[in-house]
Amino acid sequence: MDGGDSRRKPVVEDIIARRGDNLHSLTPIIGSVILIVIAACALWVSQWASAHEVQVAALAVTGALSCVALIWLAVDIYQSGRNRRTLRRLAEFTETEPGFCFICDDSGRLYHANAAARSRFQPAKGEALAQLLRDVFASSEGILYRLWQKSLTTGYAIEDVTSHSEGFRIYVRRFSDDAVLWRLESEAQRSAGTVRSDLPLMSLGRNGAILYMNAAARSLVGGRAKRLEDVFVDLPLRPGGVHHLSNTDGEQRVLVQSSDIGAGRVELVLSPIATETDPEDSVGTFDGLPVPLLKVSPDGAILRANPEARRMLDLGSTTAPGQLAEHMEGLGRAIKDWLQEAADGRGLHRSEFLRLTRADREVFVQVTLNRVIEDGEKRLVAVLNDATELKTLEAQFVQSQKMQAIGQLAGGVAHDFNNLLTAISGHCDLLLLRHDQGDPDYGDLVQINQNANRAAALVGQLLAFSRKQTMQPEVLDLRDTLSDLAHLLNRLVGEKVRLTLRHDPALPPVRGDRRQLEQVMMNLVVNARDAMPEGGEILVETERRILREPLKRDRAVVAPGTYVSVRVIDEGVGIPADKLQKVFEPFFTTKRTGEGTGLGLSTVYGIVKQTGGFIFVDSVVGQGTCFTLMLPAHEVVAAKAAPVAIKEEARLPQKGSGVVLLVEDEAPVRAFAARALRLRGYTVIEAETAEDALKTLDDEKLAVDVFVTDVVMPGMDGPTWVRKARESRPDTRVVFVSGYAEDAFGEGSEAIPNSVFLPKPFSLSELTETVHQQLN
């Protein structure tokens, strides 16, 4: 600092000298102008006056000029003195600033640099500021010019600039044309000032000079110090160690923590240690800080834990902490390796998320390690932060993303699989037409057909989970539905398990697919049966629930309204808490290999969600599980009962007639459908794409009675090309076929009258019957 002060005086004197030179340089110029003006006036007067009058006028001019010169000299001396005082105060004010301060003229030439700037940049007298900052900013001239232009309007400007090495906040303030203050503050300086402003703090330069001391540090030391030896009596400093500093009251023990804040500068934070503290205690206020702290050896042994850390780790006040690995897990590698790397100085200040091995609840912690030297040995101080809520939110987000991705995958696989099953079962139907029951191959064909149907049921479960299955909703009374299903459910549960149904007498109806809701109840009851290998009771209970306020449960929010609640309660083994949130994931099962596919509850989840309802699960290990369905009640609008026309069931003729335009991009499906329709007597025109179909229809003489088209195809989809075709053929009927659900094109189908939907996989008779009904 002494070297910095000795250099500061010439710089300040240079300010004054240059400022005076600038001010005095104006005097002869202004004086010359005044003399020229007065001489011109005298010359003009001499042309009209006598010699005596000229002499009098010359004396008057001389006197006036002398007065003007004296007045200007006085003003100049006054202005020079005031500017010198202003610049001196400005230089003294910025001298101890931790930021890099420069005082320049309007052209950017340097008058003065404070101690921090001299230590960092070593500026020369009169050096251009832009030249000085070229090592910091890639385009220093452009940055300074932009800020200088802003300051011309408002008098000051401020901007955060990220350089190739570090980030700076640049502040410029104009005091006059010849006094412009530039201040640069690094990100490290700003963070240090905001985080540790309440602790004794000082900044050191490259040569050990104390560049800055905050108010707390000056109060602790007893004044402003210039060098470390003026503060500490037991140098050299040991980062993380305890040192003695001298102040007006004698000596004070402090814990010294250091950090590099860039530009060759070091920041020291001093934590006073009470006099009654054990001399061997090198952690100071370790137990008093309201933050969980652990002192750990590089081999993983916990040497000390403050009260906050003991509460977090669920340790008693007298329990030995033991090893860190006994209380934490989930790092992905050995904790000892992680600690050893930190002790060697690698990976410090980088947080890791770990899970505590507490038995009562799940707790995640964010652990940050800092290295200290204590009695010549390396120690690690671990700062713990409760990150349970953060990890819970992260897990919920990952879970939702995973469920969405699996749903999309399941829907895509199911669509392609349905095309394959349509071709397999369709061609099997064609073979069955040519074989009777006495044929040796008849049994094999039946087996192929049955297994194709089983595969179609499995695909239906995937579509149910992805909420893309075909639904046939109707208004249902769940009491009647469950009563009709009770006989089958009793057969499923067996003799050891007792099934009890309990209904609310005022149960409102719901709107859903009867077949799918029956599948939901069967899956839930079968799972309840499997959870009670020794037998017990399964209670199926329905109830009318009215929500006045939104119901927040897990990650769902149930809107206010009237709902039908269905609860399936068992007395089984229960589901562990760590597996409770995974039960609806596809292929996740707690059963042994071969006992379950893991698609049961995922199918239930998809059906309930597609119906517009909610499903929740509660379980206690050893006591049982309760699945709760919340289905929205259906409001039945009272209307006059219209007479129902009894429609006689039409018998499908063996032969049909008509022209069918078949549009299908899957060749095996198109081949089967074309043969099936031709066998029934229809004339079939095949097209692979929608574009081919429209080209075929360009022939106005071609009469087509019905379009049979796939919904999802490369290029133009089914509904789009049908709309274009019906512009010229408005009366043509349509049969849409798809491996996706009907609502995949629901908006488009509403605009297409006289159209029906046939889901894949379909059989030969289903296809021909649908076409026949459309034509008749």
Side-chain angles (χ1 to χ4, degrees):
M1 189 64 190
D2 295 339
D5 287 344
S6 62
R7 200 185 328 178
R8 179 173 63 86
K9 292 179 180 179
V11 176
V12 176
E13 292 172 358
D14 182 56
I15 298 173
I16 299 169
R18 291 187 59 191
R19 178 67 173 165
D21 291 341
N22 291 336
L23 293 173
H24 286 295
S25 63
L26 296 176
T27 302
I29 298 174
I30 297 175
S32 300
V33 172
I34 295 174
L35 286 174
I36 292 171
V37 172
I38 294 176
C41 293
L43 182 62
W44 179 75
V45 171
S46 64
Q47 295 177 358
W48 306 96
S50 62
H52 177 71
E53 290 174 341
V54 170
Q55 291 177 355
V56 173
L59 290 174
V61 169
T62 302
L65 182 59
S66 300
C67 291
V68 170
L70 290 174
I71 293 172
W72 177 255
L73 181 61
V75 171
D76 181 47
I77 294 173
Y78 172 76
Q79 290 288 351
S80 298
R82 188 175 70 172
N83 285 328
R84 282 196 299 270
R85 290 191 298 271
T86 301
L87 292 171
R88 184 178 291 111
R89 283 196 298 267
L90 187 59
E92 292 175 352
F93 176 76
T94 60
E95 179 65 19
T96 58
E97 272 287 300
F100 308 125
C101 298
F102 306 92
I103 303 174
C104 304
D105 61 11
D106 234 7
S107 65
R109 293 293 173 180
L110 184 64
Y111 284 161
H112 173 70
N114 71 346
R118 294 197 301 272
S119 176
R120 167 72 186 269
F121 297 98
Q122 290 85 38
K125 295 180 181 180
E127 185 176 1
L129 183 60
Q131 179 69 27
L132 190 65
L133 298 180
R134 281 184 178 175
D135 293 338
V136 179
F137 303 110
S139 57
S140 57
E141 292 88 350
I143 294 171
L144 297 182
Y145 179 77
R146 182 173 65 250
L147 289 170
W148 178 73
Q149 287 288 343
K150 292 181 180 178
S151 69
L152 292 176
T153 304
T154 60
Y156 73 95
I158 187 169
E159 184 176 327
D160 290 328
V161 180
T162 301
S163 72
H164 52 76
S165 57
E166 54 187 320
F168 284 90
R169 173 168 292 176
I170 305 179
Y171 173 81
V172 56
R173 176 67 182 268
R174 299 174 57 85
F175 291 92
S176 67
D177 290 343
D178 288 329
V180 181
L181 173 63
W182 295 85
R183 186 176 188 275
L184 280 70
E185 186 179 23
S186 66
E187 291 179 351
Q189 290 171 330
R190 295 206 305 275
S191 62
T194 56
V195 175
R196 302 188 176 180
S197 59
D198 57 332
L199 296 176
L201 180 146
M202 60 177 62
S203 299
L204 307 180
R206 285 193 179 94
N207 56 359
I210 299 177
L211 304 178
Y212 170 73
M213 295 176 65
N214 67 355
R218 291 195 299 269
S219 176
L220 179 64
V221 176
R224 179 76 169 86
K226 296 182 179 180
R227 303 193 64 83
L228 280 178
E229 48 263 32
D230 300 333
V231 178
F232 295 99
V233 298
D234 52 354
L235 294 177
L237 290 180
R238 291 178 288 109
V242 176
H243 288 269
H244 293 78
L245 61 81
S246 60
N247 53 25
T248 55
D249 298 329
E251 290 189 359
Q252 170 71 50
R253 297 176 67 245
V254 293
L255 172 67
V256 179
Q257 294 174 306
S258 67
S259 59
D260 187 358
I261 58 175
R265 301 171 69 234
V266 177
E267 178 188 87
L268 299 182
V269 179
L270 314 178
S271 301
I273 300 174
T275 55
E276 64 269 18
T277 306
D278 183 359
E280 298 299 325
D281 181 9
S282 64
V283 189
T285 58
F286 191 91
D287 289 338
L289 291 175
V291 178
L293 296 175
L294 297 174
K295 185 168 66 172
V296 186
S297 64
D299 62 356
I302 301 178
L303 305 177
R304 184 171 179 178
N306 72 347
E308 290 292 332
R310 286 183 169 273
R311 279 191 289 272
M312 178 175 282
L313 298 179
D314 197 24
L315 295 172
S317 58
T318 59
T319 306
Q323 291 283 329
L324 189 67
E326 298 175 6
H327 303 283
M328 300 179 186
E329 62 183 11
L331 183 64
R333 55 179 175 140
I335 290 182
K336 286 186 178 180
D337 295 343
W338 172 50
L339 296 177
Q340 189 59 53
E341 285 185 5
D344 295 337
R346 301 191 303 274
L348 291 174
H349 310 292
R350 186 177 67 238
S351 299
E352 295 284 357
F353 289 90
L354 295 95
R355 180 180 180 273
L356 297 185
T357 56
R358 293 183 52 156
D360 56 341
R361 60 191 178 93
E362 189 175 52
V363 178
F364 289 91
V365 292
Q366 182 182 10
V367 185
T368 305
L369 297 178
N370 293 280
R371 184 178 61 171
V372 297
I373 305 299
E374 187 178 89
D375 297 331
E377 296 184 2
K378 297 177 182 178
R379 296 287 186 262
L380 296 172
V381 175
V383 182
L384 313 181
N385 290 311
D386 193 338
T388 305
E389 184 176 358
L390 175 63
K391 294 299 288 184
T392 301
L393 292 174
E394 180 185 348
Q396 290 175 357
F397 176 74
V398 171
Q399 175 72 5
S400 64
Q401 294 291 96
K402 181 171 63 175
M403 296 287 274
Q404 181 181 3
I406 293 176
Q408 293 175 348
L409 175 63
V413 170
H415 171 260
D416 293 339
F417 214 72
N418 273 332
N419 282 325
L420 297 175
L421 291 175
T422 302
I424 293 172
S425 61
H427 285 90
C428 184
D429 289 341
L430 292 174
L431 288 173
L432 284 172
L433 293 177
R434 301 200 300 268
H435 295 76
D436 55 22
Q437 295 185 3
D439 194 297
D441 296 331
Y442 184 83
D444 297 333
L445 294 174
V446 171
Q447 285 293 324
I448 294 173
N449 199 2
Q450 290 178 351
N451 283 281
N453 292 333
R454 288 182 59 190
L458 180 63
V459 173
Q461 288 183 318
L462 287 175
L463 284 172
F465 170 73
S466 61
R467 305 181 213 173
K468 293 181 179 179
Q469 61 180 339
T470 303
M471 294 187 66
Q472 298 176 352
E474 58 181 301
V475 178
L476 302 172
D477 188 330
L478 285 183
R479 293 172 296 184
D480 297 337
T481 303
L482 292 176
S483 298
D484 296 341
L485 195 62
H487 179 68
L488 176 60
L489 294 178
N490 278 312
R491 290 177 56 189
L492 288 174
V493 299
E495 298 179 354
K496 292 184 180 180
V497 178
R498 183 173 66 259
L499 179 66
T500 303
L501 302 180
R502 186 182 301 164
H503 297 301
D504 187 336
L507 196 68
V510 299
R511 187 172 185 272
D513 188 304
R514 177 187 294 273
R515 177 179 55 83
Q516 293 176 4
L517 291 178
E518 288 177 351
Q519 183 180 358
V520 167
M521 298 310 302
M522 284 191 292
N523 284 344
L524 293 178
V525 169
V526 168
N527 280 346
R529 177 204 66 187
D530 294 341
M532 300 185 296
E534 303 300 326
E537 181 183 17
I538 300 175
L539 174 62
V540 179
E541 185 178 41
T542 61
E543 180 186 8
R544 178 174 179 258
R545 291 190 62 179
I546 300 177
L547 298 182
R548 308 292 182 186
E549 297 179 354
L551 173 63
K552 296 181 180 180
R553 173 73 191 273
D554 299 335
R555 298 187 296 273
V557 178
V558 185
T562 304
Y563 292 85
V564 174
S565 171
V566 183
R567 296 198 300 166
V568 180
I569 308 170
D570 65 59
E571 301 172 343
V573 295
I575 304 173
D578 59 335
K579 298 179 180 178
L580 201 60
Q581 300 302 322
K582 301 179 181 179
V583 294
F584 297 117
E585 295 182 11
F587 309 112
F588 175 83
T589 179
T590 58
K591 300 177 183 179
R592 290 177 295 184
T593 304
E595 293 184 355
T597 62
L599 283 173
L601 288 178
S602 63
T603 303
V604 169
Y605 176 84
I607 292 174
V608 171
K609 286 297 183 181
Q610 195 171 6
T611 308
F614 299 85
I615 182 168
F616 305 108
V617 57
D618 300 281
S619 185
V620 178
V621 176
Q623 298 183 18
T625 303
C626 173
F627 284 91
T628 304
L629 308 181
M630 296 281 289
L631 303 176
H634 180 71
E635 297 181 1
V636 180
V637 180
K640 293 183 179 179
V644 179
I646 301 176
K647 184 178 180 181
E648 296 183 0
E649 183 176 354
R651 184 178 179 85
L652 183 65
Q654 292 293 325
K655 293 291 182 180
S657 61
V659 178
V660 179
L661 176 58
L662 176 63
V663 186
E664 171 63 60
D665 61 304
E666 289 287 339
V669 177
R670 187 172 68 251
F672 151 66
R675 286 185 58 188
L677 292 171
R678 290 189 179 108
L679 285 174
R680 293 300 187 204
Y682 297 103
T683 302
V684 180
I685 303 173
E686 299 182 40
E688 184 177 358
T689 64
E691 290 78 8
D692 294 341
L694 291 175
K695 288 180 181 179
T696 302
L697 294 175
D698 288 340
D699 185 1
E700 298 179 356
K701 297 180 181 180
L702 178 64
V704 177
D705 299 306
V706 62
F707 299 147
V708 178
T709 176
D710 195 4
V711 175
V712 180
M713 295 182 293
M716 194 180 301
D717 60 17
T720 302
W721 84 262
V722 167
R723 289 193 199 96
K724 290 188 175 183
R726 294 187 71 168
E727 293 176 359
S728 58
R729 302 170 183 262
D731 299 328
T732 308
R733 296 180 175 271
V734 184
V735 177
F736 287 109
V737 296
S738 178
Y740 287 116
E742 187 175 1
D743 60 2
F745 66 104
E747 296 180 1
S749 66
E750 293 176 1
I752 302 177
N754 298 326
S755 63
V756 295
F757 179 73
L758 179 63
K760 295 179 182 178
F762 49 80
S763 64
L764 184 149
S765 59
E766 288 173 342
L767 174 62
T768 54
E769 182 178 355
T770 302
V771 171
H772 174 76
Q773 290 176 352
Q774 280 293 87
L775 289 175
N776 299 278

